[in-house]
Amino acid sequence: MRALKSSGTRQSFESNRLLGQLTKLLQVPLLVLAITASSTSAKDLIGGEQPVMLSPEEALKTFTLPPGYRINLFASETNFPIASPNGMTWDSRGRLWVINIPTHPHAKPDTKPNDRIVILEDTDRDGVADKSTVFADGLYLPMGFAVTDGGRTAYCVSQPNLLRLTDTDDDGVADEREIVLHGFGTEDNHHVMSAFQWGPDGGLYMAQGLFLNSQVETPFGVTRAHEGAVFRYQPWDGRFDVYAQHDWSNPWGIIFDSYGKPFLADASPGLNYYMSPMATAYDYPQKDDRKFSNILSFTPSGRRPTCGAEFLQSRHFPKEVRDWYAVAQMKGFHGLRWYKLKDDGSSLTGEQPITQELLTSTDTTFRPSAVQIGPDGALYVLDYYNPIVGHMTYNFRDPRRIQTHGRVWRITHEKGELLISPKIVDEPITDLLDLLLSPELRTRYFARHELQQRSARKVRSAVRRWVGKDEQRALEAIWVLQGIGSDDEKLLNRVLASPNPELRGAGLRALRLLQEKMRESEVQEILHRMIGDENPRVRLEALVTASHHSNGKDALAIAAKILEKPLDDGLIYAAKETFYFFDRSGLSLPEAAINFMVPHDSDVRLIARKLGETVANEMLRRPSVGTADQMRAAKFLSSGEIPSFLLRQIKAGDKRGAVQRLLLRQSVTDLRAVQSELVDLAKNAAGGTARAHGLAALAKVTDGAATLAAVRLPYDILTATPLMGRMGTHTELFETVKRLLAKGTAKSTRLAAIKAASYFPANDAEAVELLVEVADETKATDLTTSFAALSSLRRIPAEQWTRKYGNRVLTKLTIEATPDLKFAPTEFSVPAGSAVELTLFNPDNMYHNLVIVEPDAADAVGTASDLMSAQADGLKKNYVPALDGILHSTPQLGLRRRHTLRFYAPEEPGSYPYLCTYPGHWRVMRGTMRVTKP
């Protein structure tokens, strides 16, 4: 924390008082501290809490694992060139490759970047690395990479390029560098291309996140993507495509299970996905939907950020946890969470039968950034080990970025036998094919990829002799052949006809990539059959594959068949995006598809559609559709007799707001024609809202006495009055409002009366006195009622009350948390002692809150909130520390949430900061409430 500045005696006193509270809260001396250059390479002074950098031996003591599980140090910065490691992978020789990014978050002027890839080896197989080789250095932020060719070649991103690094003499050091792709987005190096993984089909998968725009040209054309996207690259021919697209924030992990199902870990929101629903065809720049993130994740929100994932498919671990999904988390909670995945319709859900997490650390500098099963069956965990992660919430030059540390940890089970990795590099093709039957996912992964590097002719021949009649062999054979640019339709049809839905789904994912080599009629016959499959996930894969079919018209007809069976969230999302894609392609959607799409349409798209019964009814359902368009819809549905149609709908129980509002929009002449029906509606409708609208419409065509005579319940006057408007009320109704405004009336009724009181121009003077009386009466005991009175007062012309009651001002405003970690607005003014109604809205998928503090208290509160990240219940406490300098605070709000604060401004003028106390955010998410003299 920087030294607190004072501005005046009171603020100086407050600063000292808060410093004392914060010192006691943290139990550490709050001095201006420096970290010695020898231990951190940082030379500048830093303020606030001193980063705690534990030795590997000390860090080991901070770990907690379930009974039977063990952890040991595999490698660290103390004996290997590991510094800020953020990615790792094994090669088929059993060597661990680690990318190191000490340049992060950016290269400094006049400093040559020297990020590097290091190979670690455990030559004596004792579970501890004993050899290292720098494969490549001089790189710039290689956030993602993958190894191939038996450990002789690596692909890595060096923005804006994808490099191929080749070791030509097999000495573990790259001799050649080649740019194979160019044009990746560089707008935000935190979200650049990463999460590299070889797919079972031989393609290299990688992903980018928010803020990025990539445009990559290959001989196959230009591939573009805006923000969250997963790409697929074919090294054998250079093809590069978008595989999936969604509003992912920062993909930091792609893996495939035994059936080739793709999974993605999205770091910023901490969500994890089965990727297929998002893999439909789309038009650049992005898909339409931005609402399904939480729904489609199989892990709960709030567990962020996730950083790498792996399936515990290893015989070394107990049977009860094999195939579980393990994912790292490096903020708030520091460790590994694990989930047992369960089928849930077209998607999956994650359960935690074992409530204790796989790994927990009390060391907040422990930053697990990648996990992967090693050749011995153990689970290896990469540790970025840095007090600061990310870049937006901290200064790029913050000296607390300790870029000299990094560790690799190894998790085993005391009862599990360690595995001996089979030889893979340069082994005979027949032996490699047999390894495809191994129970170890990573053994199959490396054997399959080794086969895909061999002679296509030899592999094709051997595969056809090996495959036999086994369906699982057939699937592995399809994948191996895909990876050498080949295919076998007989094998594909065998898998598609399997009684196992997992195999049928895998066959359809393969068909997506193979269909351009097949006859259109054959592909369409398969899709027609599979889109009606009994299994919802198979239907989903058929829909996704259909969206990529070259014959759009026929593919649309096939895709529409998805609507013939029940839809769940995954199918709804995929169907919606598929139909949007075909719609934007200029194809005419069938009626069933239009009816399905209409509820998902934006208002602009809905209004542009041809009027039909479904479209018109949806237009009337939405309050956001303009009155003119809703009138057009009502005219279509009513055959021109709009008032009678609206009355029939309301009497029948139609609760759509547009139907009731449109009744009030009818002309006096048209309403007089149905006056008797309006009286009947006002007196006899079952619902109070319907009676209120009948009463308000009646007031337009009758006098006050006649309107009063049609009242069924006094409360109906209260709800009808705002509908009439200030120019449409009758003074005869005010006495009822006045009576219900009195103290002792039920709160809900009194609030309605408070609102209604300011709608009678002839009674404004009396209403002002009544509303001020209510506001003052309830100021100390009921802010909701007090603010309601002040809000109603604002409706009366100011000249009638401000001279006498100028301090009864109510300021109402909304502050948004913007995606670039700012508040909008960053400043507002209110008179001292006046009422303030402040609503925080969070359109971002990161948590945000708003805390108003006393002058000079922001740094103390912010620093304390940072340190709450180490507390297990920090989020539950909204990261709001127990300090006296806090005046008002909202909870931490998730995506598209809002919260309203009601309070009276301080009596003393001054500048009162407001900030977001999610750890780290407060340094940039700040604003000021100016309290002025009244």
Side-chain angles (χ1 to χ4, degrees):
M1 182 183 71
R2 296 186 299 275
L4 291 173
K5 299 177 181 178
S6 63
S7 56
T9 303
R10 186 185 70 86
Q11 292 182 358
S12 180
F13 171 80
E14 289 299 313
S15 299
N16 293 331
R17 180 173 60 83
L18 287 170
L19 275 169
Q21 287 189 354
L22 186 54
T23 301
K24 184 177 180 180
L25 178 69
L26 303 179
Q27 296 298 304
V28 297
L30 285 183
L31 304 174
V32 178
L33 300 171
I35 304 177
T36 62
S38 61
S39 64
T40 68
S41 298
K43 299 177 181 180
D44 300 328
L45 293 177
I46 64 170
E49 74 282 11
Q50 182 179 18
V52 177
M53 305 297 290
L54 301 181
S55 68
E57 294 75 20
E58 292 170 325
L60 185 62
K61 298 175 183 178
T62 70
F63 294 130
T64 302
L65 298 92
Y69 289 83
R70 300 288 183 265
I71 186 167
N72 70 273
L73 181 69
F74 179 76
S76 78
E77 75 281 354
T78 61
N79 49 2
F80 295 107
I82 303 174
S84 299
N86 80 314
M88 69 176 182
T89 188
W90 294 89
D91 67 13
S92 51
R93 303 186 192 192
R95 303 179 301 179
L96 183 62
W97 295 53
V98 178
I99 50 176
N100 301 266
I101 55 168
T103 305
H104 189 265
H106 72 153
K108 296 179 180 179
D110 301 322
T111 301
K112 183 179 180 180
N114 193 30
D115 297 330
R116 57 187 176 269
I117 300 175
V118 175
I119 304 174
L120 300 174
E121 298 182 60
D122 176 9
T123 60
D124 56 7
R125 295 184 178 179
D126 65 348
V128 178
D130 48 42
K131 179 182 177 182
S132 70
T133 307
V134 177
F135 179 77
D137 56 14
L139 302 170
Y140 182 47
L141 297 177
M143 305 296 281
F145 80 129
V147 180
T148 185
D149 191 25
R152 290 178 283 262
T153 301
Y155 289 91
C156 82
V157 66
S158 185
Q159 50 185 318
N161 304 315
L162 178 68
L163 304 180
R164 180 164 52 222
L165 310 174
T166 305
D167 173 11
T168 59
D169 54 8
D170 207 17
D171 64 351
V173 179
D175 310 294
E176 296 180 354
R177 299 189 183 193
E178 177 187 0
I179 296 175
V180 293
L181 293 175
H182 172 80
F184 294 110
T186 61
E187 293 86 345
D188 183 339
N189 64 36
H190 199 54
H191 297 167
V192 296
M193 204 64 60
S194 61
F196 282 46
Q197 188 82 179
W198 292 107
D201 51 58
L204 179 56
Y205 290 76
M206 60 196 83
Q208 71 175 29
L210 284 176
F211 314 126
L212 299 178
N213 292 274
S214 291
Q215 180 168 301
V216 179
E217 186 170 1
T218 72
F220 294 88
V222 178
T223 296
R224 297 181 178 90
H226 174 64
E227 301 199 323
V230 173
F231 299 94
R232 180 179 179 275
Y233 173 60
Q234 294 185 168
W236 60 89
D237 63 5
R239 182 163 182 165
F240 183 77
D241 297 302
V242 173
Y243 180 81
Q245 201 274 341
H246 187 58
D247 64 332
W248 295 304
S249 299
N250 187 10
W252 205 342
I254 295 173
I255 55 175
F256 298 84
D257 73 0
S258 295
Y259 292 100
K261 293 199 298 295
F263 294 82
L264 179 143
D266 190 9
S268 296
L271 302 176
N272 294 267
Y273 301 88
Y274 165 52
M275 207 189 304
S276 285
M278 299 86 159
T280 58
Y282 87 106
D283 280 337
Y284 175 83
Q286 61 189 20
K287 293 186 176 183
D288 288 75
D289 191 81
R290 289 295 182 265
K291 304 174 186 175
F292 271 73
S293 291
N294 291 8
I295 294 175
L296 295 179
S297 171
F298 57 80
T299 59
S301 61
R303 296 181 168 186
R304 61 172 299 272
T306 55
C307 357
E310 177 69 304
F311 284 107
L312 296 180
Q313 196 170 103
S314 165
R315 285 171 294 167
H316 171 72
F317 291 108
K319 289 183 179 179
E320 64 176 336
V321 302
R322 289 181 198 167
D323 294 335
W324 282 24
Y325 181 89
V327 62
Q329 183 178 332
M330 62 161 62
K331 280 186 179 180
F333 171 84
H334 296 252
L336 303 184
R337 299 187 186 276
W338 52 354
Y339 301 89
K340 180 180 181 180
L341 300 190
K342 179 182 178 181
D343 289 340
D344 184 14
S346 67
S347 300
L348 300 103
T349 55
E351 300 177 342
Q352 291 192 290
I354 299 177
T355 55
Q356 183 178 352
E357 299 294 2
L358 176 56
L359 176 65
T360 304
S361 175
T362 57
D363 178 10
T364 58
T365 310
F366 171 59
R367 308 289 190 178
S369 56
V371 290
Q372 196 171 108
I373 294 290
D376 58 357
L379 182 67
Y380 289 74
V381 183
L382 189 65
D383 181 3
Y384 184 69
Y385 208 73
N386 199 314
I388 294 178
V389 293
H391 61 315
M392 292 182 68
T393 52
Y394 295 90
N395 191 301
F396 275 22
R397 306 295 174 80
D398 192 317
R400 289 171 295 183
R401 294 184 183 274
I402 312 303
Q403 297 158 319
T404 56
H405 290 57
R407 290 92 190 258
V408 182
W409 302 96
R410 175 176 174 266
I411 297 177
T412 56
H413 195 276
E414 62 183 14
K415 295 183 179 179
E417 184 176 347
L418 291 170
L419 309 178
I420 298 177
S421 178
K423 292 183 178 180
I424 291 177
V425 177
D426 299 330
E427 289 299 295
I429 290 176
T430 53
D431 292 352
L432 293 174
L433 287 170
D434 287 338
L435 289 178
L436 298 180
L437 305 178
S438 168
E440 312 300 326
L441 184 148
R442 285 297 172 183
T443 297
R444 300 194 302 273
Y445 175 89
F446 289 116
R448 187 187 307 118
H449 191 64
E450 176 75 11
L451 285 165
Q452 291 166 339
Q453 310 307 303
R454 300 292 184 87
S455 162
R457 179 182 60 81
K458 292 180 180 179
V459 170
R460 273 195 299 268
S461 176
V463 162
R464 285 165 181 155
R465 292 194 302 270
W466 171 82
V467 67
K469 297 182 179 181
D470 182 79
E471 293 173 347
Q472 188 65 45
R473 288 192 181 207
L475 177 58
E476 289 287 352
I478 290 170
W479 286 338
V480 170
L481 293 175
Q482 278 186 284
I484 59 174
S486 186
D487 63 278
D488 189 315
E489 292 182 22
K490 290 183 180 179
L491 291 178
L492 180 61
N493 284 321
R494 186 194 303 178
V495 169
L496 291 170
S498 170
N500 183 348
E502 291 279 22
L503 287 170
R504 298 199 300 276
L508 285 164
R509 284 189 292 275
L511 178 62
R512 167 182 169 175
L513 302 174
L514 295 173
Q515 59 180 311
E516 64 183 28
K517 298 180 180 181
M518 301 168 61
R519 295 187 303 276
E520 272 190 8
S521 58
E522 183 178 2
V523 173
Q524 291 174 19
E525 189 279 326
I526 292 172
L527 293 176
H528 266 294
R529 183 175 73 251
M530 306 306 285
I531 200 87
D533 194 276
E534 62 183 15
N535 184 276
R537 191 176 304 138
V538 174
R539 296 199 298 275
L540 170 68
E541 298 292 357
L543 177 64
V544 172
T545 300
S547 75
H548 293 277
H549 189 50
S550 58
N551 187 323
K553 183 178 181 181
D554 291 343
L556 173 57
I558 295 169
K561 292 172 65 67
I562 199 72
L563 303 175
E564 297 175 4
K565 291 196 174 185
L567 303 176
D568 58 20
D569 288 334
L571 284 165
I572 289 172
Y573 180 87
K576 179 176 59 61
E577 295 299 341
T578 296
F579 292 135
Y580 275 146
F581 172 73
F582 286 132
D583 196 13
R584 291 191 299 267
S585 299
L587 297 172
S588 298
L589 298 184
E591 184 178 359
I594 292 175
N595 292 341
F596 166 78
M597 292 300 296
V598 161
H600 304 288
D601 278 343
S602 65
D603 288 349
V604 172
R605 182 177 279 113
L606 175 67
I607 293 168
R609 289 197 186 277
K610 181 181 178 181
L611 269 181
E613 185 174 351
T614 301
V615 172
N617 276 304
E618 180 66 18
M619 289 169 65
L620 291 179
R621 188 186 68 80
R622 298 189 189 183
S624 53
V625 172
T627 300
D629 288 305
Q630 289 184 331
M631 197 74 80
R632 182 166 59 91
K635 185 176 182 180
F636 173 84
L637 293 170
S638 66
S639 301
E641 300 178 359
I642 297 178
S644 296
F645 163 75
L646 295 174
L647 283 166
R648 287 196 304 272
Q649 293 298 114
I650 295 172
K651 289 178 182 177
D654 192 331
K655 296 181 180 180
R656 289 177 294 184
V659 172
Q660 297 164 344
R661 287 195 307 274
L662 288 179
L663 179 65
L664 303 181
R665 295 279 183 166
Q666 304 307 301
S667 68
V668 172
T669 301
D670 287 342
L671 288 176
R672 280 204 178 102
V674 292
Q675 183 171 332
S676 61
E677 295 176 68
L678 292 175
V679 172
D680 180 61
L681 181 65
K683 284 186 174 183
N684 301 318
T689 301
R691 294 197 303 273
H693 279 79
L695 199 62
L698 186 63
K700 294 179 68 173
V701 297
T702 61
D703 58 22
T707 302
L708 191 60
V711 174
R712 175 175 170 180
L713 297 173
Y715 190 84
D716 292 344
I717 294 177
L718 304 183
T719 52
T721 296
L723 300 175
M724 299 174 191
R726 272 181 60 86
M727 297 299 106
T729 55
H730 299 296
T731 190
E732 289 88 343
L733 305 179
F734 184 74
E735 286 302 315
T736 301
V737 174
K738 178 180 175 181
R739 175 168 54 85
L740 296 177
L741 189 64
K743 186 176 181 179
T745 306
K747 183 173 180 176
S748 60
T749 301
R750 196 182 194 197
L751 288 172
I754 288 170
K755 181 178 181 180
S758 55
Y759 280 94
F760 296 87
N763 304 90
D764 277 347
E766 187 175 5
V768 166
E769 298 297 331
L770 290 170
L771 291 171
V772 169
E773 180 182 344
V774 171
D776 290 348
E777 167 211 325
T778 57
K779 178 177 179 179
T781 58
D782 185 356
L783 281 184
T784 301
T785 301
S786 182
F787 276 45
L790 294 176
S791 182
S792 184
L793 189 63
R794 294 171 57 179
R795 198 172 293 113
I796 298 174
E799 61 268 17
Q800 298 200 36
W801 61 274
T802 52
R803 180 172 298 179
K804 183 177 181 180
Y805 297 114
N807 63 339
R808 303 306 201 278
V809 173
L810 170 64
T811 301
K812 301 178 75 170
L813 75 154
T814 296
I815 295 179
E816 287 196 8
T818 65
D820 58 346
L821 292 184
K822 297 287 174 56
F823 283 124
T826 57
E827 183 176 317
F828 67 93
S829 297
V830 294
S834 66
V836 183
E837 185 172 290
L838 188 160
T839 298
L840 174 66
F841 173 63
N842 180 21
D844 192 16
N845 58 14
M846 288 192 286
Y847 278 108
H848 297 298
N849 72 337
L850 185 146
V851 179
I852 301 175
V853 302
E854 295 176 352
D856 260 8
D859 285 359
V861 172
T863 300
S865 69
D866 278 350
L867 296 179
M868 290 182 73
S869 66
Q871 300 177 10
D873 60 349
L875 180 59
K876 185 177 180 181
K877 293 178 179 178
N878 296 302
Y879 297 114
V880 177
L883 296 179
D884 291 343
I886 295 171
L887 300 178
H888 309 284
S889 65
T890 73
Q892 293 287 343
L893 303 181
L895 178 65
R896 298 185 183 91
R897 300 292 183 183
R898 64 180 69 236
H899 183 87
T900 298
L901 294 174
R902 295 182 179 89
F903 59 91
Y904 280 87
E907 295 290 345
E908 184 173 345
S911 297
Y912 293 78
Y914 54 89
L915 57 150
C916 172
T917 60
Y918 193 93
H921 289 189
W922 67 276
R923 290 176 173 83
V924 291
M925 286 192 77
R926 303 175 72 150
T928 303
M929 177 177 71
R930 308 281 183 196
V931 177
T932 61
K933 292 181 180 180

